[in-house]
Amino acid sequence: LHTIPYDIISDWMNQIVKDHPDLVTRVEYGKTYEKRTISLLKIGLNTEAKKKAIWMDCGIHAREWIAPAFCQYFVNQILQSYKTDAKMQEMMKNVDFYVTPVLNIDGYIYTWKDNTTRLWRKNRSLGPSPDCYGTDLNRNFDANWGTVGVSFNCSSNIFCGTNATSEPEAQAVTYFVGTRKDDFLCFLTIHSYGQLLLLPYGHPNYTASNYEELMKVGQDAAEAIKKVHGQNYRVGTSPDVLYPNSGSSRDWARMQGIPFSYTFELRDNGTFGFQLPEDQIQPACEEAYSGALHIITYAHNQIYSGAVAVTAVTLWTLLLAAGVTLM
Amino acid sequence: MGPKSVVVLAAFLTAAIGPRAGSEVNEGRASALEDAAERAMAARQLNPHHYEARRAAQVVPLYLNTRHGSPFRLFGLQTVHAATVEDVGDSGRRYQLEMSVQEIITETTEKCSAEVFFPGEGKQPSPPQVKVSPLTELLRVDAKAEEEALYQRYRTKDPPLSAQYLPDSHGRLDPDMKPFWHLCIVASSFVMLSESTEGTLYNMAQVASITQLPTENEQLKFDGLVLLHDMVSQEIPRWKLLFTWSPAGGVTVLQMEQQPRCPHC
């Protein structure tokens, strides 16, 4: 498993569609500042029913290379698992997975330019000051925008942009997910480093209505992660375990009503930081997959485990109503 | 030693290591005991998984690196088990920590108690003060042979060492360069320790360059440019370092100078 330049990721997306035409389509849903097409893989069985959805995005921050690697791993893994695992088959029938391997494409490509650009974080939009580039996309969403954990100085690495959703990359997600928000059960946004599972909200004065549940599911996911290679992931709101912030995609998603919204901060704890060595990519992805799958399965089961019973009740109700009308 | 002296000594020891959850301090007649009691009650319990404890604990391995770090010995934070914080008048805040520190290269872990004092906002920002209980396991890690071999090899190196971007963009390190990556983390620890506050969380992101200078006073000497990462601001501060190392002398930083921000980096 390697980290891969963007062109190869794009080619890989096309290949996945070719290899799994019954399950996968590539959907273009926006443009970056430098006019590159942002696309995702929609993965699931084509049924006539209106399906619930799982969102995953990677690479909102350009330098966090393990994140796009994880999105690729995730896609490969669920498709592999689908062949033999009954639970995955059930989930593919009931939900669609929407996976964006690289959201901040301009930034990601920039980090591949040369040795000096490797640690770029933001997108590549020209700011309000001359020669000042980049907005922190994870401070640009319309969720308590511009309040805490941000800078209004364009040269800062946490510059939140000129306005909420000023950035085309943030607009793309906002429009795509926003017009389908009732469909989404789960919104996972993948970052590095720090080994954390962060829940909404980034603003210390706001608590999610399902905070207790988010903590419980998060802690169970962290336990699942630990079982894989013994790594500890801390769980909590951003202000509790890391720092306050505003305008994150996770907070925005939760505010849309998407109940299970988490930020994953993958390996490591700071020794290699953003430049995770090749021999750690596979184990980092394996453990993160375990954690993500736990959350996704839980979210799926909230809706679909009792489905058979619900359908039966509905059917009887209809029959009885029809019977009464006839009489 | 009379019984009263033993009690006073116990109180001092308890105060030095820090109040533990559920510990009781006797309302003693000796003023030392009363002081200890006041301090214990003033100290606020922290969630060990949360940011305050984590930021304070991060400073401890930095301190250990400055005292005991070498190309073959490096310390990192493993876990925080318990933490308290208290205001020390107007002069700053003191954290008491129960934690596990790791020697990164051998992956040896040891529990310890530590105290980190962050001075308050004064005219001159000053570095935190750190005390750590003795680390027997980690300091037993024997790297003397490797250190001596490296030292002898580079003492009269021709051409002198010159390297860039450790690790590279993919996290790769030449095996020959690994000890110098470690050495730069140790040297960076002097800066990171000095710059640490309750509002920072430092790691070294990358060595931009390291150049060996002529050996001086039996110390290997280096000029380095290191890129740090502060998790809280998400910035990459750049520091120029002039430092020396020998197995006997450890690492000494002669000069440290922050470089201007790189706008395209």
Side-chain angles (χ1 to χ4, degrees):
Chain A
L1 212 60
H2 304 285
T3 49
I4 295 179
Y6 183 70
D7 286 344
I8 310 225
I9 294 179
S10 189
D11 290 346
W12 165 82
M13 288 174 80
N14 291 337
Q15 193 60 46
I16 291 284
V17 172
K18 278 206 187 85
D19 293 345
H20 304 270
D22 52 330
L23 287 172
V24 187
T25 46
R26 181 173 183 163
V27 179
E28 296 179 353
Y29 68 99
K31 291 256 187 242
T32 66
Y33 180 81
E34 289 174 349
K35 300 286 184 271
R36 294 183 174 93
T37 304
I38 305 173
S39 51
L40 55 77
L41 292 174
K42 178 184 174 189
I43 305 169
L45 255 163
N46 233 334
T47 70
E48 296 305 316
K50 190 167 200 298
K51 299 175 73 180
K52 290 293 184 184
I54 307 286
W55 175 271
M56 181 180 289
D57 66 73
C58 294
I60 231 186
H61 288 140
R63 61 192 179 196
E64 299 166 12
W65 285 10
I66 185 63
F70 175 67
C71 265
Q72 286 186 271
Y73 178 91
F74 181 83
V75 166
N76 285 330
Q77 197 60 37
I78 60 176
L79 289 169
Q80 186 63 30
S81 177
Y82 173 78
K83 292 178 183 166
T84 54
D85 183 71
K87 188 63 182 174
M88 185 54 69
Q89 287 162 2
E90 182 197 348
M91 291 206 286
M92 290 273 199
K93 185 163 63 75
N94 294 329
V95 307
D96 286 323
F97 294 85
Y98 292 83
V99 182
T100 303
V102 185
L103 179 57
N104 179 7
I105 302 170
D106 297 347
Y108 187 69
I109 289 174
Y110 188 72
T111 58
W112 281 81
K113 184 164 170 277
D114 61 53
N115 280 317
T116 67
T117 61
R118 175 61 178 85
L119 294 171
W120 189 263
R121 167 182 167 89
K122 305 183 284 180
N123 76 349
R124 290 294 300 165
S125 64
L126 183 59
S129 328
D131 280 332
C132 189
Y133 286 87
T135 293
D136 184 343
L137 293 174
N138 209 32
R139 302 286 184 278
N140 187 243
F141 283 78
D142 191 5
N144 291 315
W145 179 82
T147 53
V148 294
V150 296
S151 169
F152 291 99
N153 186 333
C154 170
S155 36
S156 165
N157 257 348
I158 51 176
F159 173 57
C160 56
T162 48
N163 260 303
T165 339
S166 57
E167 304 307 296
E169 297 87 354
Q171 288 165 19
V173 176
T174 299
Y175 187 75
F176 188 88
V177 177
T179 51
R180 299 167 173 76
K181 62 183 176 164
D182 294 334
D183 298 343
F184 280 95
L185 300 176
C186 203
F187 185 99
L188 304 180
T189 180
I190 314 298
H191 294 245
S192 76
Y193 59 91
Q195 299 185 204
L196 304 167
L197 296 181
L198 301 173
L199 354 155
Y201 288 106
H203 196 297
N205 297 353
Y206 292 81
T207 306
S209 56
N210 61 340
Y211 169 79
E212 306 290 348
E213 189 180 28
L214 285 170
M215 270 305 280
K216 175 74 173 67
V217 176
Q219 276 162 347
D220 291 343
E223 262 173 56
I225 290 175
K226 188 162 179 159
K227 284 202 177 84
V228 184
H229 296 296
Q231 291 293 322
N232 287 318
Y233 275 58
R234 290 181 293 130
V235 183
T237 65
S238 201
D240 280 347
V241 301
L242 188 60
Y243 45 55
N245 66 359
S246 57
S248 69
S249 62
R250 169 204 66 226
D251 284 0
W252 174 83
R254 186 64 194 84
M255 284 177 172
Q256 300 309 299
I258 300 170
F260 296 97
S261 189
Y262 292 86
T263 309
F264 275 58
E265 295 280 357
L266 303 186
R267 286 197 196 183
D268 63 6
N269 260 319
T271 307
F272 285 93
F274 300 113
Q275 298 105 269
L276 198 66
E278 244 139 55
D279 65 0
Q280 284 202 50
I281 297 177
Q282 177 84 14
C285 289
E286 286 167 350
E287 70 202 12
Y289 179 79
S290 213
L293 191 63
H294 178 85
I295 296 170
I296 289 166
T297 308
Y298 182 91
H300 165 275
N301 290 351
Q302 294 295 94
I303 311 289
Y304 292 104
S305 264
V308 173
V310 169
T311 319
V313 168
T314 317
L315 195 57
W316 266 115
T317 315
L318 282 171
L319 284 173
L320 283 170
V324 165
T325 321
L326 280 173
M327 284 206 289
Chain B
M1 223 203 261
K4 201 174 185 186
S5 320
V6 173
V7 169
V8 169
L9 182 62
F12 270 124
L13 286 172
T14 315
I17 293 168
R20 293 160 208 271
S23 70
E24 288 172 286
V25 178
N26 267 326
E27 306 279 8
R29 287 142 224 108
S31 67
L33 279 173
E34 282 168 354
D35 284 347
E38 268 175 42
R39 283 179 57 179
M41 289 194 289
R44 181 165 62 90
Q45 206 85 32
L46 293 172
N47 185 320
H49 305 298
H50 286 186
Y51 78 92
E52 294 126 305
R54 199 76 188 177
R55 289 180 199 176
Q58 184 85 346
V59 168
V60 176
L62 296 177
Y63 167 80
L64 292 170
N65 281 341
T66 64
R67 300 295 302 277
H68 306 289
S70 87
F72 299 96
R73 190 155 67 187
L74 206 57
F75 300 98
L77 171 62
Q78 178 86 295
T79 317
V80 185
H81 304 294
T84 62
V85 68
E86 57 178 326
D87 288 311
V88 182
D90 283 333
S91 64
R93 278 149 61 90
R94 176 166 41 223
Y95 292 76
Q96 308 271 14
L97 305 157
E98 300 296 316
M99 52 191 285
S100 286
V101 177
Q102 192 188 52
E103 197 289 304
I104 290 173
I105 301 166
T106 59
E107 292 184 335
T108 323
T109 304
E110 188 173 357
K111 276 193 171 166
C112 66
S113 306
E115 193 179 286
V116 178
F117 174 74
F118 288 105
E121 315 276 82
K123 288 197 188 117
Q124 195 102 359
S126 68
Q129 292 157 34
V130 184
K131 290 182 201 156
V132 193
S133 63
L135 289 165
T136 45
E137 289 303 310
L138 296 194
L139 294 183
R140 197 181 301 159
V141 167
D142 185 15
K144 285 195 182 69
E146 294 125 302
E147 288 176 12
E148 194 57 37
L150 189 78
Y151 174 73
Q152 289 304 334
R153 189 163 156 221
Y154 280 86
R155 202 158 154 253
T156 49
K157 188 82 169 56
D158 191 27
L161 170 81
S162 180
Q164 290 194 311
Y165 296 104
L166 306 174
D168 73 4
S169 291
H170 300 270
R172 285 187 291 238
L173 277 164
D174 216 307
D176 278 348
M177 291 298 106
K178 214 165 186 189
F180 296 101
W181 174 58
H182 297 151
L183 187 59
C184 286
I185 296 175
V186 175
S188 295
S189 296
F190 285 81
V191 180
M192 295 191 284
L193 178 64
S194 160
E195 296 290 301
S196 284
T197 68
E198 290 162 286
T200 61
L201 190 72
Y202 281 110
N203 288 289
M204 187 188 82
Q206 200 177 32
V207 179
S209 68
I210 175 171
T211 311
Q212 185 178 7
L213 303 173
T215 300
E216 201 173 277
N217 300 326
E218 305 297 308
Q219 312 294 306
L220 301 186
K221 195 172 181 185
F222 303 93
D223 189 0
L225 178 64
V226 296
L227 309 179
L228 307 181
H229 174 235
D230 169 31
M231 184 71 82
V232 180
S233 66
Q234 293 293 353
E235 297 294 341
I236 306 287
R238 297 149 54 82
W239 285 79
K240 206 162 181 300
L241 295 175
L242 190 63
F243 63 98
T244 63
W245 173 71
S246 71
V251 175
T252 306
V253 173
L254 304 173
Q255 277 174 44
M256 51 169 102
E257 192 190 349
Q258 186 162 9
Q259 300 303 291
R261 176 204 287 266
C262 167
H264 79 270
C265 293

